[in-house]
């Protein structure tokens, strides 16, 4: 079933290149389900009765799993969570994946611990980093993250800038009546810092399912808020860099991105696999189906991982699937699955 969204004008279909869907090209590995923030669209509260997984994969198991996935054609890896910097071995995971050799290695973080970890992550070979930041107002930031400290996040971003990553992007989930008046301010601030800002439509995944119909701000509206700063072109996807669409600033020096998981669900271009912190491979964020390869990863049993990968990939919905607007998305736990 697909939720109806009558009030939204659909964003333009991007001219996406045809995607090889017989096997995944990119994987998002969720190294921990724990998080030190509880964003209002992601999880209910800090203490919602959720018991963090005890059987998380360790560094060795991640090494074996990623090695096997790369042997089967995965070339881009993003480390996420939960909050990936809460996983003690995160720097070592980066070092191992860099040693395996991938085209692209990136990480998504809330940056609460990035001040201390930016330089070690960069030294270990992390190329690109995305930081989630929903507001530049400390009180609003604390409210949207249920207790997060904007000061710590800004210190983390400063450390990332000093560490010299190839690219820093920000992720801002735009919620009506929460932070929809900050799209221009966040864009100007990011550009001044040499960062690529990205604005995300809230998706009906997990906790977001309670908010998305009433609070989603669609691509058209977000794009209009920065129209005077940007060229008139429609936003375009960047090849091999996920579903975000980008548009250039008028002076040509900057870009701003939009992720349209609600008004344009982009399933037809999806080449992405997800691995949960407990070693479950999933082919779609909006479904709970998956294949547990944790034992195989711990044993380094490549043949079983390969079978698990094929079985998980066979669960990939076809191009008619409407991603996070499907009703199954509401029962997905973003923490357990990995964002
Ligand atoms: N803890 C890390 C962080 O905060 O970036 C990584 C995990 S978080 C789940 C990854 C991204 O998913 C964040 O940018 C977050 O804003 C986004 N996200 C979580 N729930 C969402 C929802 N319902 N709709 C849209 N984006 C969501």
């Amino acid at each position: 079933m697909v939720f109806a969204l009558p009030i939204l004008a659909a964003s333009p279909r991007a001219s996406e290149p045809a995607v090889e869907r017989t096997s995944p090209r990119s994987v998002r590995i969720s190294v921990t389900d724990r998080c030190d923030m509880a964003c209002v669209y992601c999880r209910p509260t800090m203490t919602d009765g959720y018991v963090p997984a005890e059987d998380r994969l360790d560094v060795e198991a991640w090494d074996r799993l990623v090695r096997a996935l790369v042997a089967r054609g995965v070339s881009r890896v993003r480390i996420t969570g939960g909050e990936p910097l809460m996983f003690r071995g995160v720097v070592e995971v980066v070092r191992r994946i860099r040693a395996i050799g991938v085209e692209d290695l990136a990480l998504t973080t809330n940056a609460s611990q990035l001040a201390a970890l930016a330089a070690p992550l960069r030294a270990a070979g992390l190329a690109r980093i995305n930081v989630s930041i929903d507001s530049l107002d400390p009180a609003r930031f604390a409210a949207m993250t249920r207790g997060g400290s904007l000061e710590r996040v800004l210190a983390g971003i400063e450390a990332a800038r000093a560490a010299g990553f190839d690219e820093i992007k920000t992720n801002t989930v735009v919620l009506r009546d929460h932070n929809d008046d900050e799209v221009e301010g966040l864009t100007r601030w990011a550009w001044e810092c040499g960062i690529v800002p990205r604005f995300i439509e809230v998706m009906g995944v997990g906790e977001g399912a309670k908010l998305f119909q009433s609070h989603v701000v669609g691509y058209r509206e977000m794009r209009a808020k920065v129209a005077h700063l940007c060229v008139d072109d429609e936003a375009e996807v960047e090849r091999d860099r996920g579903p975000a669409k980008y548009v250039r600033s008028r002076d040509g020096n900057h870009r701003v991105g939009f992720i349209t998981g609600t008004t344009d669900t982009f399933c037809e271009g999806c080449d992405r696999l997800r691995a949960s912190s407990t070693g479950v491979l999933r082919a779609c964020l909006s479904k709970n189906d998956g294949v547990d390869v944790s034992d195989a990863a711990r044993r380094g049993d490549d043949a079983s991982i390969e079978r698990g990968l094929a079985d998980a990939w066979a669960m990939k919905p076809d191009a008619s699937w409407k991603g996070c607007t499907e009703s199954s998305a509401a029962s997905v736990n973003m923490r357990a699955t990995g964002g």
Side-chain angles (χ1 to χ4, degrees):
M1 179 200 156
V2 181
F3 291 112
L5 283 167
I7 49 161
L8 293 172
S11 58
R13 285 274 151 196
S15 47
E16 288 171 14
V19 169
E20 173 61 73
R21 289 172 60 93
T22 55
S23 65
R25 297 275 322 282
S26 78
V27 65
R28 290 174 86 97
I29 67 169
S30 173
V31 289
T32 179
D33 54 341
R34 295 175 61 219
C35 190
D36 53 356
M37 294 185 192
C39 300
V40 291
Y41 46 78
C42 189
R43 55 186 275 197
T45 62
M46 283 300 286
T47 53
D48 58 344
Y50 178 79
V51 181
E54 284 176 5
D55 50 350
R56 289 189 287 267
L57 299 189
D58 61 12
V59 171
E60 295 298 332
W62 280 119
D63 186 337
R64 294 182 190 117
L65 180 54
V66 173
R67 200 172 284 278
L69 297 179
V70 168
R72 289 285 300 138
V74 166
S75 57
R76 306 192 302 276
V77 179
R78 176 169 295 277
I79 301 169
T80 181
E83 171 44 44
L85 302 192
M86 292 183 78
F87 181 68
R88 285 219 179 92
V90 68
V91 173
E92 185 58 19
V93 169
V94 167
R95 200 184 329 276
R96 300 281 187 104
I97 297 173
R98 188 43 82 200
I100 293 167
V102 288
E103 261 171 41
D104 185 38
L105 178 56
L107 178 143
T108 299
T109 175
N110 66 25
S112 66
Q113 302 187 38
L114 190 56
L117 285 168
L121 286 167
R122 182 62 177 145
L126 186 68
R128 303 189 303 118
I129 196 156
N130 289 4
V131 175
S132 300
I133 180 166
D134 288 337
S135 176
L136 289 173
D137 175 84
R140 192 183 267 188
F141 182 89
M144 285 187 76
T145 56
R146 294 198 182 92
S149 158
L150 178 64
E151 198 183 343
R152 284 177 69 106
V153 169
L154 293 177
I157 291 173
E158 273 318 300
R161 292 176 69 200
F165 287 101
D166 294 352
E167 184 177 64
I168 305 174
K169 289 176 176 162
T170 50
N171 286 344
T172 299
V173 176
V174 180
L175 289 185
R176 190 168 307 287
D177 301 332
H178 284 69
N179 61 348
D180 52 333
D181 56 350
E182 288 196 62
V183 174
E184 176 177 347
L186 278 158
T187 300
R188 288 186 185 277
W189 164 80
W191 286 352
E192 273 167 27
C193 297
I195 291 171
V196 180
R198 307 190 317 166
F199 298 97
I200 305 177
E201 295 175 353
V202 63
M203 299 180 297
V205 182
E207 205 56 14
K210 297 180 190 159
L211 284 171
F212 88 108
Q213 301 237 38
S214 50
H215 288 76
V216 68
V217 179
Y219 163 76
R220 289 274 173 221
E221 194 176 335
M222 298 194 284
R223 173 78 180 78
K225 289 176 188 291
V226 289
H228 55 296
L229 304 178
C230 299
V231 296
D232 293 336
D233 307 352
E234 285 295 357
E236 291 273 346
V237 290
E238 189 183 4
R239 193 176 173 84
D240 288 344
R241 284 284 188 273
K245 303 179 180 93
Y246 296 89
V247 65
R248 290 215 156 270
S249 60
R250 288 195 182 267
D251 64 8
N253 292 333
H254 306 284
R255 293 182 304 153
V256 53
F258 304 92
I259 301 180
T260 61
T262 292
T263 64
D264 179 1
T265 49
F266 47 71
C267 297
E268 73 281 9
C270 183
D271 65 354
R272 187 176 283 176
L273 183 76
R274 289 168 192 273
S276 77
S277 62
T278 56
V280 176
L281 299 181
R282 290 193 173 89
C284 178
L285 175 61
S286 52
K287 292 170 78 179
N288 276 315
D289 311 5
V291 177
D292 187 344
V293 294
S294 56
D295 286 345
R298 290 190 180 101
R299 291 195 314 271
D301 177 350
D302 287 356
S304 296
I305 296 175
E306 193 171 320
R307 270 197 304 280
L309 169 61
D311 291 346
W313 200 245
M315 295 172 180
K316 191 87 173 161
D318 67 24
S320 66
W321 185 252
K322 293 291 174 230
C324 296
T325 62
E326 301 279 353
S327 52
S328 62
S331 61
V332 167
N333 183 324
M334 191 70 121
R335 246 175 313 180
T337 303

